[in-house]
Amino acid sequence: MFKNLLPEDLRVFLVVVRRASFVTAAQELGASPAYVSKRIRLLEEELAVRLLHRTTRRVAVTEEGERVFQWAQRILDDIDHLVQDVSTTRAEVRGLLRVSSSFGFGRNVIAPACSRLIAQHPGLQVRLEVLDRIVDVAAEGFDLDVRVGDEIAPHLLARRLAANHRVLCAAPAYLQRRGALRSIDELPAHDCLVIKERDHPFGVWKLRAGAEERTLKVTGPLSTNNGEMAVQWAVDGHGIILRSIWDVQPMLDDGRLVPVLAGWTQEANVWAVYPSRLSRSAKVRVAVEFLQRYLVEEAGLQGPGA
């Protein structure tokens, strides 16, 4: 019974369900929609159940498909763990590692880290996606989400990779035009460059100076969901920005930006979030431990205990 049931067909099915589209699933898998459709058809024939409702616009999962989806996740996880368990050393970890991160940090820091990771572990394949929203690592099929910011839901499994904080800064030209700020209470009256990032409320800045905390609503003439554009606007003199120190330190060093209200910062540490305990997945454990070293030794961030 089920002698023709192939793990690859289960993998294709999982991607189709997550993407709710044959075309999008095919793009992720690097295959044709016809191949994806054929694998789903063969899987349905082998299991003798209808797994998906197909319409011209969307794919929906049947009740039987939901049950197969849950079993497929368990089966493929077990196969991955089997492969990892029989590896003779941790250096031999293999398989596909699905990683997500935010736009700026993903492009500037995590992408080069992934390049170094696969050079050290050639058995790994890394698929990196940069997204401007919070990722449900388990439901969306990611092995690892690298987040900047301390708003980690208590039910999630996470490890702090590096210490980081956001600072207020602006171009000298802006401060010459509008005047230096003497108090945190003056901030809402200034032009602020607001960035919509993942889980952060739009235009709400939570800041701390020692034991004092303030939450301020800020506005300005320019806003975006891309931090790199906002930094350029700040350099161009359009307003005050709240940005991670790893991102703006070079501009603070060369004077293109200067600190505003020094002492007021926002904690924004770097975290690894994953769907299951590190002891269950060698490839995720190796990746997390590598990133923790890389962020300190190569990217110049402070250690997680700083």
Side-chain angles (χ1 to χ4, degrees):
M1 189 177 183
F2 301 144
K3 63 181 179 179
N4 295 318
L5 184 60
L6 300 176
E8 180 58 26
D9 291 346
L10 295 177
R11 293 189 192 277
V12 171
F13 174 63
L14 291 183
V15 176
V16 171
V17 172
R18 292 179 185 126
R19 296 302 188 183
S21 165
F22 278 70
V23 173
T24 308
Q27 291 171 348
E28 178 175 329
L29 293 164
S32 68
Y35 172 82
V36 172
S37 181
K38 177 182 178 181
R39 301 321 307 177
I40 295 299
R41 177 175 55 81
L42 291 174
L43 182 60
E44 289 181 321
E45 290 176 358
E46 180 66 17
L47 296 175
V49 295
R50 186 178 182 86
L51 301 173
L52 302 166
H53 293 301
R54 302 163 178 83
T55 68
T56 55
R57 293 188 176 184
R58 192 168 177 81
V59 173
V61 189
T62 65
E63 183 177 349
E64 292 83 0
E66 289 281 3
R67 292 168 59 196
V68 173
F69 180 82
Q70 298 299 325
W71 275 104
Q73 286 186 308
R74 291 182 223 167
I75 291 168
L76 294 176
D77 280 347
D78 286 343
I79 291 174
D80 285 344
H81 297 153
L82 170 64
V83 172
Q84 293 159 16
D85 189 55
V86 297
S87 295
T88 56
T89 70
R90 296 175 75 183
E92 296 175 3
V93 289
R94 296 183 174 276
L96 175 63
L97 183 72
R98 294 154 293 190
V99 182
S100 59
S101 191
S102 55
F103 282 153
F105 198 71
R107 188 177 78 84
N108 292 300
V109 180
I110 301 305
C114 290
S115 176
R116 293 285 296 276
L117 175 63
I118 64 167
Q120 292 188 17
H121 300 280
L124 277 179
Q125 296 172 292
V126 177
R127 181 177 298 151
L128 173 63
E129 293 189 37
V130 291
L131 304 161
D132 63 348
R133 59 176 176 80
I134 280 291
V135 170
D136 185 334
V137 285
E140 298 184 53
F142 288 104
D143 298 299
L144 177 63
D145 182 38
V146 184
R147 301 184 184 180
V148 179
D150 291 353
E151 297 81 9
I152 307 293
H155 69 280
L156 294 175
L157 297 170
R159 176 187 289 188
R160 194 160 90 159
L161 297 176
N164 177 57
H165 61 277
R166 297 187 179 101
V167 296
L168 296 162
C169 49
Y174 172 81
L175 296 176
Q176 289 171 6
R177 186 174 74 252
R178 293 293 304 274
L181 284 75
R182 294 165 297 179
S183 165
I184 189 71
D185 296 316
E186 297 177 4
L187 188 60
H190 275 260
D191 294 336
C192 295
L193 302 169
V194 181
I195 306 169
K196 181 65 180 82
E197 287 188 306
R198 287 192 154 196
D199 57 337
H200 302 294
F202 188 74
V204 176
W205 288 357
K206 296 180 179 180
L207 299 162
R208 176 194 291 268
E212 186 178 359
E213 293 185 11
R214 295 292 300 274
T215 299
L216 302 161
K217 176 66 176 176
V218 298
T219 60
L222 292 168
S223 61
T224 179
N225 69 336
N226 186 287
E228 294 172 309
M229 292 192 295
V231 170
Q232 185 57 55
W233 289 338
V235 171
D236 292 342
H238 291 296
I240 299 170
I241 192 171
L242 177 65
R243 193 66 179 157
S244 285
I245 191 66
W246 68 263
D247 194 14
V248 296
Q249 189 64 63
M251 282 146 280
L252 292 170
D253 290 341
D254 64 21
R256 285 177 289 167
L257 296 175
V258 296
V260 172
L261 297 171
W264 285 95
T265 63
Q266 181 183 89
E267 285 293 299
N269 298 300
V270 182
W271 294 82
V273 179
Y274 30 86
S276 59
R277 298 194 178 278
L278 293 180
S279 59
R280 293 195 60 200
S281 175
K283 63 183 179 182
V284 176
R285 183 177 64 249
V286 166
V288 168
E289 292 174 354
F290 171 85
L291 286 172
Q292 197 164 36
R293 293 192 303 272
Y294 179 90
L295 293 177
V296 175
E297 297 172 5
E298 303 291 335
L301 276 70
Q302 292 183 304

